[in-house]
Amino acid sequence: MITQLIKKELLMVWRRPRELVILLFMPFVLITILGAALGSIIDGEAPDLNIKLAVIQKDDIAHGEEKIIKKMESLPLSPEEKTGAIEGIKSLNPIRILLEDVFASEEFKESIQVTEMESMPSDKEALKYSGVLEIPAGFTEQFYLHAFFNEEEVPKLNLKLNESNTLEGGVLKDIFTSFQEDISLWSVLPSMGIDPEKLQNSFISKVGNTETVTKTKPINAVSYYAIGMCVMFMFYVAGNSASMALEEKESQIYGRILLANVPVPIFFIGIFVSTIIITFVQMNILFGLSALIHGVSWPNVIDYFVVTFILSVMVGGFAVFISAINYRSNSRSATQIFSSFFIPIIAFVGGSFIPVSQIGGFFEIISQYSPGGAGISAYYKIMQGFPLSDVSGQLLSVAITTVLLLLLAFLIQPRRGEAI
Amino acid sequence: MLEVVELSKHYKNKKAVKGVNLYLEKGETVGLLGPNGAGKSTTISLISSLVNPTSGDVRLKNESILRNPEKIRNILGVVPQDIALYMDLTAKENLEFFGRIHRIKKKELQRRVDEVLDIIGLQDRKKDLVKTFSGGMKRRLNIGVALLHEPELIIMDEPTVGIDPQSRNYILETVKRLNVEKNITVLYTSHYMEEVEYLCDRIYIMDHGEVIAAGTKEEIKSILSAEQSIAIKVEILKGEYLQLLQALPNVKNISVQDPAITLIVPKKVNILKDLFKLAEETKTNIISVHIETPTLEDVFLHLTGRQLRD
Ligand SMILES: Nc1ncnc2c1ncn2[C@@H]1O[C@H](COP(=O)(O)OP(=O)(O)OP(=O)(O)O)[C@@H](O)[C@H]1O
Ligand SMILES: [Mg+2]
């Protein structure tokens, strides 16, 4: 029985060109227009990282290496093992990797500008930099002693961040946290026979990843608007389902369905499920087209499907909730208020048009957890490559909204004997 | 088979149905007549268990339907006053949809859909969207949907409203055939007296939420047996003339279908003299005068002071 109700609903939407225009054509056109028109502005805003790093090098790398090589040679090892270890020492020097390979790499060359310094700058002077890195004396030696001989603690780099420069400071902090973790990790590996080359590569790629996460895989305007418009127009599916449901009541089809002894909840479950399906298909068509035509892509498609499904269920909740109000009040006003008032607000607050969440503070919170904003934030983050666990807050907020809507719908559902 | 006892439905500021009593015997065709807003549709919704009454009871085979609406729903086919169909589905899809939600098995369903399409004469249009149908075809399908689950009792709420004479005749024939061949009990609501006269064994006349007359056609007509109706056609209808006619002591009822006037007067009274005299006084040219024995329509007019079709 439910399958009949769902099938009928899908057929109806499919046969209504006006609905299809609103649900598919309009958002796609808007994605294209907004993406192109506002692209330059938004993409320009995407922060061009300009990190100035002051480096105070107190460590004598060559001296440290020499001391360790000497110590190595005095060990009772075969000549081959010794040569291997010495090779390792030379290519594994963390400071060299950091200064020569990481900061000078393709990824960072443009955005990080390193200034070498003799001593700690004055506080005033330090403000000119995003951060000041001090490499303490004896760092190299201490690192090797820890790595190869298990003497000494893991040495620590000393990083001072410029508080007023949060974005760039954040990037630096990520790089160094990751670096620190890595050198600790190296030292627990078996001291001998490690392949220094491999380690070095893994380190660079890891730091590189940190960069994408923090600087955020740059999301271009079209992608942003693909998310914004999709999340906005998914709500129209709810409005549409609710108004189709009301037509069923007004034309006495609903009465007919009840006369066939279909329980009221079953009828509403039909609305719920069909709305979920329509929304899910709508999202996939819109994002599919955006992918084909605008190159909007998802690093993890499964995560995308999970988020899309959860959002579709919420839209189903809205459809049932609005239908219940319409049915009880015998009027179209709930749908009208929803479509012409509520959706634009949800969309604006959620950031469909401008990234409201970047305003920060209170706005950021309501933006991220409002029905539309939660959807946008969730999509945005997984598009950047964050794992699902990082958007659990948003998804939870969506789930709570859904449950509330269904609960309210259940409470206000049309009463028996009031079918007209 | 069905009995309605002191049925009332009060809305916030409207008493739509006030203590209606009626009954249907198996195999009967019963007419429910009444002007706009008389409470016919509300009565039908109450009988079919879609709306709960404020007071009173509907009994099916001596059992109240209020607690167990499922029973009446299973044997009942309702043709709503509105076209209760999906405009964006084809005729066949509509029939299949309603058949399936009536839990008709898939195999059986095709046979039933085919049968109904034959009955309503839409076999050749079954693959067309309903919104491309004429008014008459929509009405026919609207009836067809109510026949799918082979109901014992059909309630039709103005099934012929606003359609061409051919479709109307077709529908009337169909209803008659269903009643005669399949012994289906019919409650038929209409604004059209001649339909009710043609179809129905017994008639209820409703106005302002109440049944104001009930009985066989003959019984109802006899209400007016002591009266006659006089139809006057004039060239130009003058308000003055109308007023003077109204003032005549024997005129029981007067209605205007410009440029005609219908008067109901007692049989014995000779009113013609007065008619012509007043016409002369007001310089009204009379084209024709018909004296008729009353029709159901006249009875209706007499009882409600209103035309059947406003
Ligand atoms: N849901 C409702 N709420 C309030 N008043 C109602 C409601 N439904 C019907 N009414 C009122 O009850 C009265 C009877 O309406 P009903 O539809 O039963 O008349 P009807 O005889 O079917 O008229 P028509 O010939 O125009 O179809 C009308 O005055 C109508 O306005
Ligand atoms: Mg009616």
Side-chain angles (χ1 to χ4, degrees):
Chain A
M1 209 153 51
I2 283 191
T3 46
Q4 293 305 312
L5 290 163
I6 295 167
K7 189 176 141 198
K8 163 263 310 179
E9 201 88 351
L10 299 184
L11 258 178
M12 301 245 293
V13 172
W14 176 241
R15 297 218 176 120
R16 294 182 173 203
R18 206 181 74 89
E19 261 50 283
L20 290 180
V21 164
I22 293 182
L23 299 183
L24 293 175
F25 184 72
M26 256 169 58
F28 188 71
V29 168
L30 281 170
I31 291 167
T32 311
I33 294 177
L34 287 174
L38 302 181
S40 49
I41 304 173
I42 292 228
D43 289 346
E45 269 177 5
D48 239 346
L49 282 185
N50 184 13
I51 301 175
K52 285 193 193 152
L53 179 67
V55 177
I56 305 154
Q57 170 61 299
K58 288 190 173 160
D59 182 36
D60 186 339
I61 299 175
H63 181 69
E65 277 177 359
E66 237 161 73
K67 271 175 97 173
I68 292 300
I69 291 172
K70 273 198 188 128
K71 191 166 173 149
M72 198 71 89
E73 275 176 338
S74 69
L75 287 177
L77 293 169
S78 73
E80 290 83 42
E81 281 173 324
K82 279 181 189 169
T83 352
I86 291 164
E87 283 286 302
I89 288 170
K90 285 193 170 155
S91 52
L92 201 58
N93 184 304
I95 301 302
R96 282 222 184 90
I97 292 176
L98 188 64
L99 295 182
E100 291 164 21
D101 293 331
V102 177
F103 289 153
S105 72
E106 281 300 312
E107 279 153 296
F108 291 112
K109 210 164 50 186
E110 302 269 289
S111 46
I112 303 187
Q113 190 192 337
V114 178
T115 314
E116 301 215 3
M117 286 195 161
E118 291 296 314
S119 59
M120 198 46 115
S122 69
D123 283 355
K124 208 175 144 199
E125 183 73 9
L127 279 180
K128 290 183 188 163
Y129 297 93
S130 324
V132 180
L133 173 70
E134 190 189 44
I135 303 168
F139 183 94
T140 304
E141 187 184 354
Q142 197 186 340
F143 170 75
Y144 287 134
L145 284 174
H146 176 77
F148 293 116
F149 301 100
N150 245 337
E151 301 166 11
E152 297 279 342
E153 289 284 294
V154 185
K156 288 221 156 44
L157 292 171
N158 188 3
L159 178 70
K160 262 167 95 182
L161 294 176
N162 182 341
E163 298 288 335
S164 65
N165 221 332
T166 51
L167 182 65
E168 277 131 18
V171 175
L172 277 179
K173 197 170 154 208
D174 276 340
I175 295 177
F176 285 105
T177 312
S178 170
F179 178 75
Q180 194 76 43
E181 275 169 9
D182 267 58
I183 58 175
S184 316
L185 181 73
W186 294 355
S187 36
V188 298
L189 290 169
S191 340
M192 302 300 178
I194 33 167
D195 185 346
E197 197 112 317
K198 257 190 201 155
L199 261 186
Q200 187 181 332
N201 285 342
S202 92
F203 172 65
I204 290 179
S205 71
K206 195 165 171 203
V207 173
N209 271 336
T210 317
E211 190 260 351
T212 27
V213 169
T214 322
K215 188 196 168 195
T216 66
K217 169 194 153 200
I219 302 257
N220 63 15
V222 165
S223 304
Y224 186 82
Y225 282 114
I227 295 174
M229 290 300 113
C230 282
V231 171
M232 173 172 175
F233 277 82
M234 66 166 53
F235 289 103
Y236 283 106
V237 179
N240 186 45
S241 297
S243 80
M244 288 204 313
L246 190 62
E247 278 171 35
E248 286 175 300
K249 187 173 191 198
E250 286 168 346
S251 64
Q252 305 189 5
I253 290 175
Y254 174 65
R256 245 184 183 158
I257 291 175
L258 293 189
L259 285 176
N261 276 327
V262 175
V264 176
I266 298 284
F267 178 75
F268 278 84
I269 289 173
I271 298 175
F272 181 55
V273 176
S274 56
T275 307
I276 295 175
I277 295 174
I278 295 167
T279 313
F280 194 74
V281 172
Q282 177 204 29
M283 287 300 103
N284 290 328
I285 292 177
L286 286 175
F287 279 124
L289 280 176
S290 302
L292 284 176
I293 297 175
H294 300 306
V296 174
S297 64
W298 298 92
N300 185 337
V301 178
I302 307 273
D303 288 355
Y304 156 78
F305 279 124
V306 171
V307 172
T308 303
F309 180 73
I310 292 174
L311 290 175
S312 304
V313 175
M314 173 176 69
V315 176
F318 270 105
V320 170
F321 173 66
I322 305 163
S323 299
I325 299 182
N326 280 342
Y327 267 59
R328 271 309 280 284
S329 69
N330 249 327
S331 83
R332 204 160 271 278
S333 38
T335 314
Q336 271 161 357
I337 292 172
F338 181 73
S339 292
S340 49
F341 190 68
F342 199 61
I343 294 182
I345 289 182
I346 286 185
F348 183 78
V349 171
S352 282
F353 300 104
I354 51 166
V356 176
S357 64
Q358 285 181 11
I359 295 173
F362 174 66
F363 260 104
E364 181 168 351
I365 294 188
I366 59 165
S367 177
Q368 286 210 10
Y369 296 99
S370 64
I376 292 176
S377 306
Y379 271 141
Y380 194 77
K381 283 195 174 170
I382 61 161
M383 187 180 266
Q384 287 176 322
F386 282 94
L388 266 185
S389 54
D390 275 30
V391 295
S392 52
Q394 279 82 8
L395 296 183
L396 186 68
S397 145
V398 167
I400 291 173
T401 310
T402 311
V403 171
L404 276 180
L405 289 169
L406 292 177
L407 205 68
L408 285 172
F410 183 78
L411 291 177
I412 52 187
Q413 67 171 303
R415 300 295 184 255
R416 198 168 141 162
E418 284 178 19
I420 303 299
Chain B
M1 140 179 225
L2 187 91
E3 198 180 357
V4 171
V5 189
E6 285 298 322
L7 198 61
S8 297
K9 179 69 189 177
H10 298 177
Y11 290 111
K12 264 193 211 93
N13 37 25
K14 178 86 200 171
K15 294 182 176 173
V17 174
K18 299 183 256 188
V20 163
N21 290 294
L22 57 85
Y23 68 91
L24 295 174
E25 300 286 5
K26 177 129 193 73
E28 265 192 318
T29 305
V30 172
L32 185 58
L33 277 169
N36 287 123
K40 306 181 295 293
S41 299
T42 308
T43 305
I44 288 177
S45 299
L46 292 167
I47 294 176
S48 52
S49 81
L50 283 178
V51 173
N52 285 342
T54 309
S55 63
D57 199 2
V58 177
R59 304 179 70 79
L60 177 74
K61 296 171 186 166
N62 268 324
E63 217 181 300
S64 172
I65 65 155
L66 298 180
R67 287 191 178 227
N68 265 324
E70 287 76 20
K71 282 206 177 134
I72 191 160
R73 290 177 181 183
N74 284 334
I75 62 144
L76 177 68
V78 175
V79 181
Q81 183 167 354
D82 299 322
I83 309 274
L85 300 168
Y86 291 107
M87 295 294 154
D88 297 298
L89 302 189
T90 67
K92 190 154 174 280
E93 284 166 347
N94 266 289
L95 289 170
E96 282 168 353
F97 170 76
F98 287 108
R100 292 288 288 166
I101 64 164
H102 269 287
R103 299 169 188 78
I104 300 175
K105 296 274 174 313
K106 251 196 173 138
K107 257 192 277 165
E108 165 103 357
L109 184 66
Q110 285 319 312
R111 188 180 62 77
R112 282 302 300 152
V113 167
D114 235 37
E115 220 171 283
V116 167
L117 282 169
D118 283 335
I119 294 175
I120 58 177
L122 285 177
Q123 202 58 263
D124 54 332
R125 294 295 300 265
K126 66 180 176 194
K127 295 218 166 113
D128 294 343
L129 297 185
V130 174
K131 64 179 168 200
T132 67
F133 280 13
S134 72
M137 288 156 65
K138 284 179 193 156
R139 287 277 160 200
R140 269 141 70 187
L141 185 59
N142 202 30
I143 295 172
V145 168
L147 302 176
L148 275 169
H149 60 296
E150 310 196 273
E152 291 174 41
L153 166 64
I154 315 183
I155 300 183
M156 303 180 133
D157 196 351
E158 302 188 34
T160 58
V161 87
I163 58 174
D164 59 290
Q166 266 149 309
S167 285
R168 205 170 132 199
N169 286 342
Y170 190 97
I171 289 175
L172 292 177
E173 292 303 323
T174 309
V175 175
K176 188 126 204 160
R177 228 177 42 235
L178 287 170
N179 175 247
V180 172
E181 288 172 12
K182 306 208 166 171
N183 201 30
I184 297 179
T185 313
V186 180
L187 180 60
Y188 191 95
T189 303
S190 178
H191 276 181
Y192 298 104
M193 192 59 75
E194 61 275 18
E195 291 183 355
V196 175
E197 255 190 291
Y198 171 73
L199 285 176
C200 302
D201 311 314
R202 286 190 303 115
I203 299 167
Y204 290 90
I205 297 182
M206 272 189 89
D207 194 21
H208 297 300
E210 287 171 301
V211 172
I212 51 174
T216 61
K217 278 179 276 194
E218 290 68 32
E219 279 167 355
I220 293 217
K221 277 189 195 172
S222 70
I223 295 174
L224 280 192
S225 58
E227 281 153 7
Q228 59 188 346
S229 94
I230 301 176
I232 314 163
K233 236 187 196 161
V234 295
E235 206 169 65
I236 297 161
L237 183 60
K238 290 185 181 151
E240 211 184 342
Y241 183 52
L242 212 57
Q243 272 170 11
L244 289 169
L245 287 180
Q246 245 154 5
L248 287 175
N250 282 317
V251 172
K252 287 204 164 169
N253 213 316
I254 186 162
S255 69
V256 180
Q257 307 88 31
D258 200 359
I261 308 165
T262 309
L263 304 176
I264 292 176
V265 293
K267 256 189 182 144
K268 310 254 160 51
V269 180
N270 186 356
I271 201 170
L272 291 178
K273 215 170 59 192
D274 293 332
L275 292 185
F276 287 108
K277 205 178 96 200
L278 294 177
E280 217 175 286
E281 280 172 20
T282 57
K283 302 209 161 50
T284 302
N285 276 342
I286 292 181
I287 298 171
S288 69
V289 175
H290 277 281
I291 302 171
E292 290 156 358
T293 45
T295 60
L296 270 180
E297 193 108 25
D298 299 322
V299 177
F300 196 82
L301 189 65
H302 170 78
L303 289 172
T304 66
R306 285 194 263 176
Q307 292 268 271
L308 263 176
R309 274 155 274 166
D310 291 357

